Amino acid sequence: MRPPMRSPGRPEPSRAVQRDFWRLIASGITSVQAAEGVGVSAPVGIRWFRHAGGMAPLSLDEPSGRYLSFAEREEIALLKAQDKSVREIARTIGRAPGTISRELRRNAATRSGKPVYRAVVAQWKAQQAAKRPKTAKLVDNDRLREYVQDRLADDIRRPDGTIVSGPATAPWKGLNKPRRQDRRWSTAWSPEQIARRLRVDFPDDESMRISHEAIYQSLFIEGRGALKREQASNLLRAGLNLWRGAPLTDVQSLRLQAGVTQMTESRLAALVT
């Protein structure tokens, strides 16, 4: 289930309605006539037109079948009200049971104190979740940010003040020894360990969830915010402060050089002719 989302009042019309509105605008009619054509009030149509500067702010192409449509959500709501099981609903609308299960869990209305699936609310929640760019979890959630930072910095202490080290690591021997200046970080928690430990420490709190990729992004990508960039080299056990991709192998390098040479020769030939 998604964490509670601040209600803006009445949910805005679905993307399908907005696409129909802008198709009517493209046909040459006024915003008031287009609003009447899609079943919204004239002030709403005028506001959409003015805020977008008269240009459609979204693609008018129909979305791929990967995502549930508003019509499918209405069908799910009707079948759910008839006490149909998840698998029965999935067979009826031609979707995978996992898709239906996630939809009922994530996008149900919760204002009554228990999850109740309504198509309009579910569509609004899905649209809100799909908006980009998103604010990073570690920016919004102070409690989660403190939890992650303390473990990255190996700053977990018992009531008596002693430090609680991270999970045990493999013994150092042979070529797998880290650099001497980086060994102090080998007892800290890695992003993968933090992400997995959250489910153990907070089994019933969905707001205390984050993937290890999101932690790495907060460390390395400027603008993702919560964890300071200058702390990256002090927090990661490898001591790295820049993201480095995997080096190319000799075969990949040769293929790349051959491709560039072939492209250059073909362009020169085109210019000559």
Side-chain angles (χ1 to χ4, degrees):
M1 188 180 297
R2 297 188 193 278
M5 303 173 73
R6 185 181 66 83
S7 174
R10 182 182 177 184
E12 63 182 7
S14 67
R15 292 290 182 90
V17 173
Q18 295 180 43
R19 276 194 294 271
D20 291 340
F21 172 84
W22 287 105
R23 289 193 186 102
L24 292 175
I25 291 293
S27 69
I29 65 177
T30 66
S31 57
V32 174
Q33 293 170 328
E36 293 175 352
V38 298
V40 300
S41 65
V44 170
I46 294 171
R47 184 171 66 247
W48 285 353
F49 189 86
R50 287 181 176 175
H51 285 184
M55 300 296 294
L58 72 169
S59 173
L60 299 183
D61 297 332
E62 288 295 331
S64 66
R66 175 182 175 186
Y67 302 103
L68 290 172
S69 65
F70 181 62
E72 287 176 315
R73 289 190 167 98
E74 287 183 319
E75 187 71 16
I76 292 172
L78 291 173
L79 295 171
K80 182 65 177 174
Q82 298 171 12
D83 292 329
K84 300 293 185 181
S85 68
V86 169
R87 292 189 177 276
E88 287 177 319
I89 297 174
R91 282 195 297 269
T92 302
I93 70 172
R95 290 284 187 170
T99 301
I100 305 302
S101 177
R102 282 193 301 272
E103 175 68 15
L104 294 173
R105 185 176 67 252
R106 290 179 176 178
N107 295 331
T110 56
R111 295 190 70 182
S112 62
K114 59 180 180 179
V116 179
Y117 189 82
R118 299 189 181 94
V120 175
V121 177
Q123 183 71 22
W124 172 76
K125 283 193 170 186
Q127 289 177 187
Q128 293 297 111
K131 286 183 177 179
R132 298 293 186 274
K134 287 185 177 180
T135 304
K137 267 190 174 182
L138 293 178
V139 173
D140 279 346
N141 193 330
D142 295 338
R143 184 177 169 215
L144 179 60
R145 180 173 66 249
E146 184 178 354
Y147 182 96
V148 172
Q149 281 183 329
D150 287 346
R151 279 152 184 78
L152 284 174
D154 196 20
D155 193 20
I156 309 301
R157 298 179 181 272
R158 299 185 181 90
D160 60 1
T162 58
I163 294 178
V164 179
S165 298
T169 58
W172 296 334
K173 59 182 180 179
L175 298 177
N176 75 338
K177 291 181 180 178
R179 294 178 178 145
R180 188 175 298 278
Q181 64 268 27
D182 297 331
R183 292 182 189 179
R184 56 179 175 159
W185 307 117
S186 65
T187 58
W189 295 60
S190 71
E192 289 88 347
Q193 290 165 341
I194 294 172
R196 294 179 183 178
R197 184 68 191 182
L198 279 165
R199 296 183 177 274
V200 177
D201 291 345
F202 306 96
D204 301 322
D205 190 352
E206 290 293 328
S207 67
M208 295 294 287
R209 298 284 185 274
I210 191 170
S211 66
H212 63 277
E213 291 94 343
I215 298 176
Y216 279 119
Q217 286 181 358
S218 292
L219 286 169
F220 288 113
I221 300 178
E222 192 170 0
R224 293 300 290 176
L227 303 176
K228 294 181 180 178
R229 186 176 177 85
E230 59 267 19
Q231 292 179 343
S233 61
N234 293 335
L235 297 180
L236 292 183
R237 33 170 90 171
L240 301 176
N241 57 8
L242 291 175
W243 187 268
R244 296 185 177 90
L248 295 176
T249 63
D250 293 339
V251 174
Q252 289 173 327
S253 298
L254 290 174
R255 287 178 180 172
L256 180 61
Q257 292 173 9
V260 172
T261 303
Q262 184 178 3
M263 185 186 304
T264 304
E265 290 176 351
S266 62
R267 287 182 177 178
L268 288 173
L271 290 173
V272 171
T273 57

